[in-house]
Amino acid sequence: MDLKDQLKNLFPDHKPTEEEPKKDLDKDIWMQEEPIICKYEKRKGKPTTILEGYTGADEDFKKLAKELKTKLSVGGSFKENSIIIQGDYRDKIMKILQEKGFKVKRVGG
């Protein structure tokens, strides 16, 4: 007797419901024709990766920033229409954005 059978015995009136599929962030974010600029800078002696050039809504860019920070497990922020990621993650960020369908242009270094 497995767990499902035991639960059916305990709760005979329960009808299982289907789980809602998770929303995919890729479909919510607006895609653009121009490339997103991915550049490297040192600010106060610390390396940072900066993404600029997104022409969609700020909310979409903020969602993208949150997703990148989560996938890379790093800190960062969204300021003045640019995403600032702590550390030099240009290659990883470019790969993630290209998988989503964005065009990315590497600038500097």
Side-chain angles (χ1 to χ4, degrees), residues 18 22 27 30 35-36 43 52-53 68 70-72 78 83 86 92 95 97 100:
E18 293 182 23
K22 293 183 179 181
K27 295 176 184 164
W30 183 76
I36 293 177
R43 294 190 175 184
E52 295 176 335
L68 287 172
T70 304
K71 282 188 177 181
L72 297 171
F78 175 80
I83 299 174
Q86 297 173 355
K92 291 180 182 179
K95 184 178 178 185
L97 290 176
K100 291 183 160 297

Side-chain angles (χ1 to χ4, degrees), residues 33-87:
E33 296 298 318
E34 297 85 30
I36 293 177
I37 296 170
C38 183
K39 62 183 179 179
Y40 170 78
E41 285 185 9
K42 280 198 172 185
R43 294 190 175 184
K44 297 182 182 177
K46 297 181 180 178
T48 57
T49 304
I50 301 170
L51 298 172
E52 295 176 335
Y54 186 72
T55 57
D58 284 347
E59 293 300 319
D60 290 345
F61 209 33
K62 287 179 184 179
K63 286 180 188 177
L64 186 63
K66 183 174 181 175
E67 186 175 347
L68 287 172
K69 291 188 301 183
T70 304
K71 282 188 177 181
L72 297 171
S73 301
V74 296
S77 63
F78 175 80
K79 293 182 184 175
E80 301 167 6
N81 294 326
S82 62
I83 299 174
I84 302 167
I85 303 288
Q86 297 173 355

